């Protein structure tokens, strides 16, 4: 077998934290390429690293996806599956991964041109699903996700060579300013922050419940927040946020009575297929970091 050597443009998980300017485009598609995103919105995505859409799917569609989410969460077989992650304290399901393979309902959403068409337009190529999941954030104590760049993890532990990956979070419940919504530092996608510390074996088992390895220092986060600020995303069910893989983002705990659930889909360019991890002893399981690079059709 021929071994492919890929230059590591974004070193991380070493002895010290490092800051590296982004080496890749943000919008890979050519100017004027047809697609559902207007030119002004693409320019805003390039500048800020994200794009918020007031209504990506209709109220009737939201109801369909909510019912499917509830069916999956209530299914004992799904709960017993390794693709389901439970809250450390409440033992309730927090996330179900590879949901587009488990559920034909969510598979149709992935293939929806309103969804995959935007990914193709941003990434300038055919795309495949690197990761998908439903996130369930019930009220009264569901824990948040600490500040991190997804790309840092996908590069270090999954072997994605370049920043040619985009995520969409589609709200299936109301996102208030109080129930643990997504926070992003606008413009942070322009700088890669390589984190300090080696990747533990089987790190994914812990990180899917609480992020530890691959998290920035307090000093780095303070500097980035001072430079970029923090944007909190709110919106009705059916709204969506597209964001670049290198955005510094996180979410707080949900201590309100109001649940916050969403479906989360990560599209990667077929021209950016995963290689061996850049800073981890072994690959993560395929339900977290796909090795099937078949384009979405």
């Amino acid at each position: 077998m021929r071994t492919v050597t890929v230059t590591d443009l974004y070193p991380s998980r070493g002895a010290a934290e490092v800051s590296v300017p982004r080496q890749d485009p943000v919008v890979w598609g050519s100017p004027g390429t047809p697609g559902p995103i207007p030119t002004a919105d693409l320019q805003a995505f390039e500048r800020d690293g994200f794009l918020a859409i007031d209504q990506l799917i209709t109220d009737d569609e939201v109801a369909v996806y909510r019912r499917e989410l509830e069916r999956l969460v209530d299914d004992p077989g799904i709960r017993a599956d390794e693709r389901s992650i439970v809250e450390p304290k409440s033992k309730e399901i927090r996330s179900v991964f590879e949901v587009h393979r488990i559920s034909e309902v969510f598979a149709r959403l992935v293939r929806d041109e309103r969804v995959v068409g935007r990914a193709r337009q941003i990434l300038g190529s055919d795309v495949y699903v690197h990761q998908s999941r439903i996130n369930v954030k019930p009220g009264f104590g569901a824990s948040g996700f600490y500040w991190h760049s997804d790309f840092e993890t996908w590069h270090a532990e999954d072997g994605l060579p370049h920043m040619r990956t985009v995520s969409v979070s589609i709200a299936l419940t109301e996102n208030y300013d109080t129930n643990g919504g997504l926070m992003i530092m606008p413009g942070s996608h322009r700088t890669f922050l390589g984190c300090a510390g080696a990747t533990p074996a089987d790190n994914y088992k812990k990180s899917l419940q609480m992020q530890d390895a691959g998290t920035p220092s307090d000093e780095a986060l303070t500097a980035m927040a001072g430079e970029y600020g923090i944007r909190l995303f709110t919106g009705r069910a059916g709204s969506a946020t597209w964001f670049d893989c290198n955005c510094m983002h996180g979410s707080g705990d949900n201590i309100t009575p109001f649940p916050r659930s969403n479906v989360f889909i990560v599209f990667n360019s077929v021209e950016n297929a995963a290689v061996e991890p850049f800073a981890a002893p072994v690959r993560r399981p395929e339900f977290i970091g796909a090795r099937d690079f078949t384009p979405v059709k």
Side-chain angles (χ1 to χ4, degrees), residues 144-150 152-153 181-186 188 193 195 211-218 221-222 224-225 229-232 247-252:
F145 283 96
Y146 196 67
W147 291 103
H148 65 286
S149 154
D150 286 331
E152 192 279 337
T153 298
L182 173 68
M183 294 181 287
I184 293 178
M185 297 184 187
S188 59
L193 190 65
C195 299
Q211 189 89 358
D212 188 8
T215 54
S217 67
D218 290 352
L221 288 171
T222 300
M224 292 183 81
I230 296 173
R231 164 80 183 271
L232 171 65
C247 282
M248 189 61 66
H249 67 288
S251 65

PDB file of all heavy atoms in Angstrom, residues 144-150 152-153 181-186 188 193 195 211-218 221-222 224-225 229-232 247-252:
ATOM      1  N   GLY A 144     -23.234  22.200  28.981  1.00  0.00           N
ATOM      2  CA  GLY A 144     -22.827  22.831  27.732  1.00  0.00           C
ATOM      3  C   GLY A 144     -21.552  22.222  27.170  1.00  0.00           C
ATOM      4  O   GLY A 144     -21.060  21.199  27.653  1.00  0.00           O
ATOM      5  N   PHE A 145     -21.025  22.867  26.125  1.00  0.00           N
ATOM      6  CA  PHE A 145     -19.751  22.481  25.523  1.00  0.00           C
ATOM      7  C   PHE A 145     -18.779  23.643  25.712  1.00  0.00           C
ATOM      8  O   PHE A 145     -19.092  24.781  25.365  1.00  0.00           O
ATOM      9  CB  PHE A 145     -19.911  22.184  24.032  1.00  0.00           C
ATOM     10  CG  PHE A 145     -20.536  20.856  23.744  1.00  0.00           C
ATOM     11  CD1 PHE A 145     -21.899  20.756  23.505  1.00  0.00           C
ATOM     12  CD2 PHE A 145     -19.765  19.706  23.709  1.00  0.00           C
ATOM     13  CE1 PHE A 145     -22.484  19.530  23.238  1.00  0.00           C
ATOM     14  CE2 PHE A 145     -20.337  18.471  23.438  1.00  0.00           C
ATOM     15  CZ  PHE A 145     -21.699  18.383  23.202  1.00  0.00           C
ATOM     16  N   TYR A 146     -17.580  23.339  26.223  1.00  0.00           N
ATOM     17  CA  TYR A 146     -16.609  24.390  26.493  1.00  0.00           C
ATOM     18  C   TYR A 146     -16.063  24.940  25.173  1.00  0.00           C
ATOM     19  O   TYR A 146     -16.208  24.338  24.108  1.00  0.00           O
ATOM     20  CB  TYR A 146     -15.468  23.847  27.365  1.00  0.00           C
ATOM     21  CG  TYR A 146     -14.641  24.931  27.999  1.00  0.00           C
ATOM     22  CD1 TYR A 146     -15.195  25.769  28.971  1.00  0.00           C
ATOM     23  CD2 TYR A 146     -13.325  25.150  27.619  1.00  0.00           C
ATOM     24  CE1 TYR A 146     -14.455  26.780  29.546  1.00  0.00           C
ATOM     25  CE2 TYR A 146     -12.569  26.161  28.190  1.00  0.00           C
ATOM     26  CZ  TYR A 146     -13.139  26.976  29.148  1.00  0.00           C
ATOM     27  OH  TYR A 146     -12.415  27.990  29.710  1.00  0.00           O
ATOM     28  N   TRP A 147     -15.435  26.101  25.236  1.00  0.00           N
ATOM     29  CA  TRP A 147     -14.885  26.759  24.054  1.00  0.00           C
ATOM     30  C   TRP A 147     -13.892  25.847  23.327  1.00  0.00           C
ATOM     31  O   TRP A 147     -13.015  25.247  23.940  1.00  0.00           O
ATOM     32  CB  TRP A 147     -14.162  28.048  24.449  1.00  0.00           C
ATOM     33  CG  TRP A 147     -15.072  29.125  24.930  1.00  0.00           C
ATOM     34  CD1 TRP A 147     -15.275  29.509  26.224  1.00  0.00           C
ATOM     35  CD2 TRP A 147     -15.915  29.956  24.119  1.00  0.00           C
ATOM     36  NE1 TRP A 147     -16.197  30.535  26.266  1.00  0.00           N
ATOM     37  CE2 TRP A 147     -16.604  30.826  24.993  1.00  0.00           C
ATOM     38  CE3 TRP A 147     -16.147  30.048  22.748  1.00  0.00           C
ATOM     39  CZ2 TRP A 147     -17.503  31.770  24.548  1.00  0.00           C
ATOM     40  CZ3 TRP A 147     -17.044  30.984  22.293  1.00  0.00           C
ATOM     41  CH2 TRP A 147     -17.713  31.847  23.188  1.00  0.00           C
ATOM     42  N   HIS A 148     -14.033  25.789  22.008  1.00  0.00           N
ATOM     43  CA  HIS A 148     -13.137  24.959  21.198  1.00  0.00           C
ATOM     44  C   HIS A 148     -13.311  25.291  19.722  1.00  0.00           C
ATOM     45  O   HIS A 148     -14.300  25.903  19.321  1.00  0.00           O
ATOM     46  CB  HIS A 148     -13.429  23.467  21.419  1.00  0.00           C
ATOM     47  CG  HIS A 148     -14.789  23.048  20.941  1.00  0.00           C
ATOM     48  ND1 HIS A 148     -15.955  23.370  21.611  1.00  0.00           N
ATOM     49  CD2 HIS A 148     -15.172  22.344  19.839  1.00  0.00           C
ATOM     50  CE1 HIS A 148     -16.985  22.881  20.962  1.00  0.00           C
ATOM     51  NE2 HIS A 148     -16.543  22.255  19.876  1.00  0.00           N
ATOM     52  N   SER A 149     -12.335  24.887  18.928  1.00  0.00           N
ATOM     53  CA  SER A 149     -12.443  24.879  17.469  1.00  0.00           C
ATOM     54  C   SER A 149     -12.653  23.438  17.041  1.00  0.00           C
ATOM     55  O   SER A 149     -11.856  22.560  17.389  1.00  0.00           O
ATOM     56  CB  SER A 149     -11.160  25.424  16.834  1.00  0.00           C
ATOM     57  OG  SER A 149     -10.968  24.901  15.525  1.00  0.00           O
ATOM     58  N   ASP A 150     -13.722  23.190  16.288  1.00  0.00           N
ATOM     59  CA  ASP A 150     -13.958  21.829  15.803  1.00  0.00           C
ATOM     60  C   ASP A 150     -12.794  21.341  14.949  1.00  0.00           C
ATOM     61  O   ASP A 150     -12.396  20.169  15.022  1.00  0.00           O
ATOM     62  CB  ASP A 150     -15.250  21.775  14.973  1.00  0.00           C
ATOM     63  CG  ASP A 150     -16.498  21.855  15.822  1.00  0.00           C
ATOM     64  OD1 ASP A 150     -16.461  21.414  16.985  1.00  0.00           O
ATOM     65  OD2 ASP A 150     -17.518  22.366  15.319  1.00  0.00           O
ATOM     66  N   GLU A 152      -9.675  21.907  15.147  1.00  0.00           N
ATOM     67  CA  GLU A 152      -8.543  21.446  15.939  1.00  0.00           C
ATOM     68  C   GLU A 152      -8.691  19.953  16.263  1.00  0.00           C
ATOM     69  O   GLU A 152      -7.739  19.179  16.139  1.00  0.00           O
ATOM     70  CB  GLU A 152      -8.428  22.281  17.220  1.00  0.00           C
ATOM     71  CG  GLU A 152      -7.129  22.107  17.993  1.00  0.00           C
ATOM     72  CD  GLU A 152      -7.100  20.869  18.866  1.00  0.00           C
ATOM     73  OE1 GLU A 152      -8.177  20.360  19.242  1.00  0.00           O
ATOM     74  OE2 GLU A 152      -5.980  20.396  19.177  1.00  0.00           O
ATOM     75  N   THR A 153      -9.906  19.565  16.648  1.00  0.00           N
ATOM     76  CA  THR A 153     -10.160  18.151  16.952  1.00  0.00           C
ATOM     77  C   THR A 153     -10.182  17.310  15.683  1.00  0.00           C
ATOM     78  O   THR A 153      -9.574  16.231  15.627  1.00  0.00           O
ATOM     79  CB  THR A 153     -11.497  17.999  17.700  1.00  0.00           C
ATOM     80  OG1 THR A 153     -11.417  18.695  18.948  1.00  0.00           O
ATOM     81  CG2 THR A 153     -11.809  16.532  17.958  1.00  0.00           C
ATOM     82  N   GLY A 181     -27.608  28.485  24.375  1.00  0.00           N
ATOM     83  CA  GLY A 181     -27.441  28.604  22.933  1.00  0.00           C
ATOM     84  C   GLY A 181     -25.984  28.644  22.486  1.00  0.00           C
ATOM     85  O   GLY A 181     -25.059  28.811  23.275  1.00  0.00           O
ATOM     86  N   LEU A 182     -25.807  28.509  21.180  1.00  0.00           N
ATOM     87  CA  LEU A 182     -24.492  28.541  20.549  1.00  0.00           C
ATOM     88  C   LEU A 182     -23.888  29.936  20.653  1.00  0.00           C
ATOM     89  O   LEU A 182     -24.549  30.933  20.374  1.00  0.00           O
ATOM     90  CB  LEU A 182     -24.630  28.139  19.084  1.00  0.00           C
ATOM     91  CG  LEU A 182     -23.392  28.256  18.187  1.00  0.00           C
ATOM     92  CD1 LEU A 182     -22.329  27.247  18.594  1.00  0.00           C
ATOM     93  CD2 LEU A 182     -23.783  28.065  16.717  1.00  0.00           C
ATOM     94  N   MET A 183     -22.601  29.985  21.022  1.00  0.00           N
ATOM     95  CA  MET A 183     -21.843  31.237  21.052  1.00  0.00           C
ATOM     96  C   MET A 183     -20.626  31.085  20.140  1.00  0.00           C
ATOM     97  O   MET A 183     -19.953  30.051  20.169  1.00  0.00           O
ATOM     98  CB  MET A 183     -21.385  31.568  22.472  1.00  0.00           C
ATOM     99  CG  MET A 183     -22.524  31.872  23.429  1.00  0.00           C
ATOM    100  SD  MET A 183     -21.929  32.284  25.110  1.00  0.00           S
ATOM    101  CE  MET A 183     -21.398  30.659  25.681  1.00  0.00           C
ATOM    102  N   ILE A 184     -20.362  32.105  19.340  1.00  0.00           N
ATOM    103  CA  ILE A 184     -19.221  32.105  18.421  1.00  0.00           C
ATOM    104  C   ILE A 184     -18.470  33.418  18.565  1.00  0.00           C
ATOM    105  O   ILE A 184     -19.079  34.476  18.767  1.00  0.00           O
ATOM    106  CB  ILE A 184     -19.683  31.930  16.957  1.00  0.00           C
ATOM    107  CG1 ILE A 184     -20.273  30.527  16.731  1.00  0.00           C
ATOM    108  CG2 ILE A 184     -18.537  32.172  15.975  1.00  0.00           C
ATOM    109  CD1 ILE A 184     -20.800  30.306  15.318  1.00  0.00           C
ATOM    110  N   MET A 185     -17.140  33.359  18.440  1.00  0.00           N
ATOM    111  CA  MET A 185     -16.331  34.571  18.379  1.00  0.00           C
ATOM    112  C   MET A 185     -16.174  34.959  16.909  1.00  0.00           C
ATOM    113  O   MET A 185     -15.431  34.286  16.166  1.00  0.00           O
ATOM    114  CB  MET A 185     -14.964  34.332  19.020  1.00  0.00           C
ATOM    115  CG  MET A 185     -15.030  34.003  20.497  1.00  0.00           C
ATOM    116  SD  MET A 185     -13.364  33.857  21.225  1.00  0.00           S
ATOM    117  CE  MET A 185     -13.786  33.273  22.884  1.00  0.00           C
ATOM    118  N   PRO A 186     -16.868  35.999  16.442  1.00  0.00           N
ATOM    119  CA  PRO A 186     -16.813  36.373  15.017  1.00  0.00           C
ATOM    120  C   PRO A 186     -15.397  36.733  14.564  1.00  0.00           C
ATOM    121  O   PRO A 186     -14.719  37.532  15.213  1.00  0.00           O
ATOM    122  CB  PRO A 186     -17.736  37.594  14.935  1.00  0.00           C
ATOM    123  CG  PRO A 186     -18.593  37.527  16.160  1.00  0.00           C
ATOM    124  CD  PRO A 186     -17.747  36.889  17.210  1.00  0.00           C
ATOM    125  N   SER A 188     -12.877  34.670  14.494  1.00  0.00           N
ATOM    126  CA  SER A 188     -11.871  33.783  15.095  1.00  0.00           C
ATOM    127  C   SER A 188     -11.434  32.675  14.148  1.00  0.00           C
ATOM    128  O   SER A 188     -10.387  32.045  14.370  1.00  0.00           O
ATOM    129  CB  SER A 188     -12.422  33.161  16.388  1.00  0.00           C
ATOM    130  OG  SER A 188     -13.615  32.420  16.133  1.00  0.00           O
ATOM    131  N   LEU A 193      -5.670  27.976  16.652  1.00  0.00           N
ATOM    132  CA  LEU A 193      -5.045  27.892  17.966  1.00  0.00           C
ATOM    133  C   LEU A 193      -4.715  26.423  18.239  1.00  0.00           C
ATOM    134  O   LEU A 193      -5.612  25.602  18.457  1.00  0.00           O
ATOM    135  CB  LEU A 193      -5.969  28.450  19.041  1.00  0.00           C
ATOM    136  CG  LEU A 193      -5.344  28.633  20.421  1.00  0.00           C
ATOM    137  CD1 LEU A 193      -4.240  29.701  20.367  1.00  0.00           C
ATOM    138  CD2 LEU A 193      -6.400  29.040  21.448  1.00  0.00           C
ATOM    139  N   CYS A 195      -3.579  23.588  20.514  1.00  0.00           N
ATOM    140  CA  CYS A 195      -3.661  23.424  21.967  1.00  0.00           C
ATOM    141  C   CYS A 195      -2.486  22.624  22.516  1.00  0.00           C
ATOM    142  O   CYS A 195      -1.846  21.855  21.804  1.00  0.00           O
ATOM    143  CB  CYS A 195      -4.978  22.749  22.335  1.00  0.00           C
ATOM    144  SG  CYS A 195      -6.424  23.712  21.830  1.00  0.00           S
ATOM    145  N   GLN A 211     -15.458  18.262  27.150  1.00  0.00           N
ATOM    146  CA  GLN A 211     -14.222  18.531  26.420  1.00  0.00           C
ATOM    147  C   GLN A 211     -13.083  18.796  27.389  1.00  0.00           C
ATOM    148  O   GLN A 211     -13.234  19.519  28.370  1.00  0.00           O
ATOM    149  CB  GLN A 211     -14.428  19.748  25.508  1.00  0.00           C
ATOM    150  CG  GLN A 211     -13.294  19.995  24.549  1.00  0.00           C
ATOM    151  CD  GLN A 211     -13.461  19.250  23.243  1.00  0.00           C
ATOM    152  OE1 GLN A 211     -14.429  18.521  23.076  1.00  0.00           O
ATOM    153  NE2 GLN A 211     -12.522  19.409  22.346  1.00  0.00           N
ATOM    154  N   ASP A 212     -11.930  18.186  27.131  1.00  0.00           N
ATOM    155  CA  ASP A 212     -10.746  18.408  27.955  1.00  0.00           C
ATOM    156  C   ASP A 212      -9.542  18.619  27.048  1.00  0.00           C
ATOM    157  O   ASP A 212      -9.101  19.750  26.842  1.00  0.00           O
ATOM    158  CB  ASP A 212     -10.523  17.228  28.904  1.00  0.00           C
ATOM    159  CG  ASP A 212      -9.426  17.504  29.918  1.00  0.00           C
ATOM    160  OD1 ASP A 212      -8.954  18.653  29.977  1.00  0.00           O
ATOM    161  OD2 ASP A 212      -9.040  16.578  30.662  1.00  0.00           O
ATOM    162  N   ALA A 213      -9.018  17.553  26.449  1.00  0.00           N
ATOM    163  CA  ALA A 213      -7.935  17.701  25.478  1.00  0.00           C
ATOM    164  C   ALA A 213      -8.437  18.518  24.286  1.00  0.00           C
ATOM    165  O   ALA A 213      -9.565  18.361  23.846  1.00  0.00           O
ATOM    166  CB  ALA A 213      -7.460  16.327  25.007  1.00  0.00           C
ATOM    167  N   GLY A 214      -7.585  19.405  23.805  1.00  0.00           N
ATOM    168  CA  GLY A 214      -7.990  20.237  22.673  1.00  0.00           C
ATOM    169  C   GLY A 214      -8.738  21.488  23.073  1.00  0.00           C
ATOM    170  O   GLY A 214      -9.365  22.132  22.221  1.00  0.00           O
ATOM    171  N   THR A 215      -8.670  21.864  24.344  1.00  0.00           N
ATOM    172  CA  THR A 215      -9.318  23.102  24.771  1.00  0.00           C
ATOM    173  C   THR A 215      -8.272  24.187  24.991  1.00  0.00           C
ATOM    174  O   THR A 215      -7.183  23.920  25.508  1.00  0.00           O
ATOM    175  CB  THR A 215     -10.124  22.907  26.078  1.00  0.00           C
ATOM    176  OG1 THR A 215      -9.275  22.342  27.089  1.00  0.00           O
ATOM    177  CG2 THR A 215     -11.294  21.977  25.832  1.00  0.00           C
ATOM    178  N   PRO A 216      -8.585  25.415  24.593  1.00  0.00           N
ATOM    179  CA  PRO A 216      -7.617  26.511  24.720  1.00  0.00           C
ATOM    180  C   PRO A 216      -7.428  26.923  26.175  1.00  0.00           C
ATOM    181  O   PRO A 216      -8.264  26.655  27.053  1.00  0.00           O
ATOM    182  CB  PRO A 216      -8.268  27.649  23.919  1.00  0.00           C
ATOM    183  CG  PRO A 216      -9.343  26.994  23.106  1.00  0.00           C
ATOM    184  CD  PRO A 216      -9.796  25.817  23.893  1.00  0.00           C
ATOM    185  N   SER A 217      -6.328  27.628  26.422  1.00  0.00           N
ATOM    186  CA  SER A 217      -6.068  28.158  27.759  1.00  0.00           C
ATOM    187  C   SER A 217      -6.985  29.345  28.043  1.00  0.00           C
ATOM    188  O   SER A 217      -7.513  29.981  27.121  1.00  0.00           O
ATOM    189  CB  SER A 217      -4.614  28.607  27.864  1.00  0.00           C
ATOM    190  OG  SER A 217      -4.380  29.729  27.021  1.00  0.00           O
ATOM    191  N   ASP A 218      -7.146  29.650  29.320  1.00  0.00           N
ATOM    192  CA  ASP A 218      -7.941  30.820  29.703  1.00  0.00           C
ATOM    193  C   ASP A 218      -7.331  32.101  29.126  1.00  0.00           C
ATOM    194  O   ASP A 218      -8.054  33.009  28.702  1.00  0.00           O
ATOM    195  CB  ASP A 218      -8.013  30.938  31.230  1.00  0.00           C
ATOM    196  CG  ASP A 218      -8.850  29.851  31.869  1.00  0.00           C
ATOM    197  OD1 ASP A 218      -9.511  29.084  31.120  1.00  0.00           O
ATOM    198  OD2 ASP A 218      -8.834  29.742  33.111  1.00  0.00           O
ATOM    199  N   LEU A 221      -8.198  32.351  25.386  1.00  0.00           N
ATOM    200  CA  LEU A 221      -9.618  32.665  25.207  1.00  0.00           C
ATOM    201  C   LEU A 221      -9.907  34.117  25.579  1.00  0.00           C
ATOM    202  O   LEU A 221     -10.702  34.789  24.909  1.00  0.00           O
ATOM    203  CB  LEU A 221     -10.473  31.729  26.051  1.00  0.00           C
ATOM    204  CG  LEU A 221     -10.548  30.289  25.559  1.00  0.00           C
ATOM    205  CD1 LEU A 221     -11.251  29.404  26.595  1.00  0.00           C
ATOM    206  CD2 LEU A 221     -11.282  30.201  24.225  1.00  0.00           C
ATOM    207  N   THR A 222      -9.266  34.603  26.628  1.00  0.00           N
ATOM    208  CA  THR A 222      -9.461  35.994  27.033  1.00  0.00           C
ATOM    209  C   THR A 222      -8.985  36.941  25.936  1.00  0.00           C
ATOM    210  O   THR A 222      -9.662  37.922  25.602  1.00  0.00           O
ATOM    211  CB  THR A 222      -8.704  36.276  28.349  1.00  0.00           C
ATOM    212  OG1 THR A 222      -9.207  35.418  29.376  1.00  0.00           O
ATOM    213  CG2 THR A 222      -8.872  37.728  28.769  1.00  0.00           C
ATOM    214  N   MET A 224      -8.681  36.236  22.682  1.00  0.00           N
ATOM    215  CA  MET A 224      -9.525  36.109  21.495  1.00  0.00           C
ATOM    216  C   MET A 224     -10.864  36.798  21.701  1.00  0.00           C
ATOM    217  O   MET A 224     -11.368  37.481  20.802  1.00  0.00           O
ATOM    218  CB  MET A 224      -9.730  34.632  21.149  1.00  0.00           C
ATOM    219  CG  MET A 224      -8.466  33.936  20.677  1.00  0.00           C
ATOM    220  SD  MET A 224      -8.718  32.219  20.178  1.00  0.00           S
ATOM    221  CE  MET A 224      -9.366  32.466  18.516  1.00  0.00           C
ATOM    222  N   ALA A 225     -11.459  36.626  22.880  1.00  0.00           N
ATOM    223  CA  ALA A 225     -12.739  37.282  23.157  1.00  0.00           C
ATOM    224  C   ALA A 225     -12.578  38.801  23.143  1.00  0.00           C
ATOM    225  O   ALA A 225     -13.470  39.529  22.677  1.00  0.00           O
ATOM    226  CB  ALA A 225     -13.293  36.817  24.500  1.00  0.00           C
ATOM    227  N   GLY A 229     -14.826  39.523  20.253  1.00  0.00           N
ATOM    228  CA  GLY A 229     -16.152  39.584  20.859  1.00  0.00           C
ATOM    229  C   GLY A 229     -16.836  38.221  20.809  1.00  0.00           C
ATOM    230  O   GLY A 229     -16.280  37.230  20.315  1.00  0.00           O
ATOM    231  N   ILE A 230     -18.051  38.175  21.320  1.00  0.00           N
ATOM    232  CA  ILE A 230     -18.824  36.930  21.372  1.00  0.00           C
ATOM    233  C   ILE A 230     -20.233  37.196  20.872  1.00  0.00           C
ATOM    234  O   ILE A 230     -20.878  38.156  21.306  1.00  0.00           O
ATOM    235  CB  ILE A 230     -18.878  36.359  22.804  1.00  0.00           C
ATOM    236  CG1 ILE A 230     -17.478  35.963  23.278  1.00  0.00           C
ATOM    237  CG2 ILE A 230     -19.819  35.151  22.864  1.00  0.00           C
ATOM    238  CD1 ILE A 230     -17.412  35.556  24.735  1.00  0.00           C
ATOM    239  N   ARG A 231     -20.707  36.361  19.970  1.00  0.00           N
ATOM    240  CA  ARG A 231     -22.071  36.472  19.439  1.00  0.00           C
ATOM    241  C   ARG A 231     -22.878  35.270  19.921  1.00  0.00           C
ATOM    242  O   ARG A 231     -22.460  34.125  19.779  1.00  0.00           O
ATOM    243  CB  ARG A 231     -22.025  36.490  17.912  1.00  0.00           C
ATOM    244  CG  ARG A 231     -23.339  36.213  17.193  1.00  0.00           C
ATOM    245  CD  ARG A 231     -24.257  37.412  17.128  1.00  0.00           C
ATOM    246  NE  ARG A 231     -25.514  37.032  16.474  1.00  0.00           N
ATOM    247  CZ  ARG A 231     -25.732  37.094  15.159  1.00  0.00           C
ATOM    248  NH1 ARG A 231     -24.760  37.505  14.347  1.00  0.00           N
ATOM    249  NH2 ARG A 231     -26.895  36.744  14.651  1.00  0.00           N
ATOM    250  N   LEU A 232     -24.030  35.526  20.523  1.00  0.00           N
ATOM    251  CA  LEU A 232     -24.946  34.478  20.971  1.00  0.00           C
ATOM    252  C   LEU A 232     -26.071  34.343  19.962  1.00  0.00           C
ATOM    253  O   LEU A 232     -26.676  35.333  19.556  1.00  0.00           O
ATOM    254  CB  LEU A 232     -25.527  34.832  22.343  1.00  0.00           C
ATOM    255  CG  LEU A 232     -26.672  33.945  22.857  1.00  0.00           C
ATOM    256  CD1 LEU A 232     -26.192  32.525  23.112  1.00  0.00           C
ATOM    257  CD2 LEU A 232     -27.275  34.555  24.125  1.00  0.00           C
ATOM    258  N   CYS A 247     -14.129  28.150  13.657  1.00  0.00           N
ATOM    259  CA  CYS A 247     -14.683  29.156  14.575  1.00  0.00           C
ATOM    260  C   CYS A 247     -14.485  28.711  16.026  1.00  0.00           C
ATOM    261  O   CYS A 247     -14.759  27.566  16.381  1.00  0.00           O
ATOM    262  CB  CYS A 247     -16.173  29.339  14.326  1.00  0.00           C
ATOM    263  SG  CYS A 247     -16.572  30.327  12.892  1.00  0.00           S
ATOM    264  N   MET A 248     -14.049  29.631  16.868  1.00  0.00           N
ATOM    265  CA  MET A 248     -14.009  29.362  18.293  1.00  0.00           C
ATOM    266  C   MET A 248     -15.442  29.501  18.815  1.00  0.00           C
ATOM    267  O   MET A 248     -16.064  30.564  18.686  1.00  0.00           O
ATOM    268  CB  MET A 248     -13.073  30.347  19.001  1.00  0.00           C
ATOM    269  CG  MET A 248     -12.802  30.001  20.454  1.00  0.00           C
ATOM    270  SD  MET A 248     -11.988  28.390  20.675  1.00  0.00           S
ATOM    271  CE  MET A 248     -10.384  28.700  19.901  1.00  0.00           C
ATOM    272  N   HIS A 249     -15.975  28.424  19.383  1.00  0.00           N
ATOM    273  CA  HIS A 249     -17.379  28.445  19.790  1.00  0.00           C
ATOM    274  C   HIS A 249     -17.593  27.548  21.000  1.00  0.00           C
ATOM    275  O   HIS A 249     -16.734  26.752  21.384  1.00  0.00           O
ATOM    276  CB  HIS A 249     -18.282  27.994  18.632  1.00  0.00           C
ATOM    277  CG  HIS A 249     -18.117  26.546  18.264  1.00  0.00           C
ATOM    278  ND1 HIS A 249     -16.997  26.068  17.613  1.00  0.00           N
ATOM    279  CD2 HIS A 249     -18.923  25.469  18.447  1.00  0.00           C
ATOM    280  CE1 HIS A 249     -17.117  24.766  17.410  1.00  0.00           C
ATOM    281  NE2 HIS A 249     -18.277  24.379  17.924  1.00  0.00           N
ATOM    282  N   GLY A 250     -18.748  27.686  21.599  1.00  0.00           N
ATOM    283  CA  GLY A 250     -19.128  26.879  22.752  1.00  0.00           C
ATOM    284  C   GLY A 250     -20.568  27.166  23.107  1.00  0.00           C
ATOM    285  O   GLY A 250     -21.267  27.917  22.414  1.00  0.00           O
ATOM    286  N   SER A 251     -21.034  26.546  24.184  1.00  0.00           N
ATOM    287  CA  SER A 251     -22.398  26.797  24.668  1.00  0.00           C
ATOM    288  C   SER A 251     -22.436  26.568  26.164  1.00  0.00           C
ATOM    289  O   SER A 251     -21.660  25.776  26.710  1.00  0.00           O
ATOM    290  CB  SER A 251     -23.415  25.887  23.959  1.00  0.00           C
ATOM    291  OG  SER A 251     -23.169  24.524  24.281  1.00  0.00           O
ATOM    292  N   GLY A 252     -23.345  27.276  26.822  1.00  0.00           N
ATOM    293  CA  GLY A 252     -23.466  27.159  28.267  1.00  0.00           C
ATOM    294  C   GLY A 252     -24.440  26.071  28.683  1.00  0.00           C
ATOM    295  O   GLY A 252     -25.119  25.453  27.860  1.00  0.00           O
TER     296      GLY A 252
END
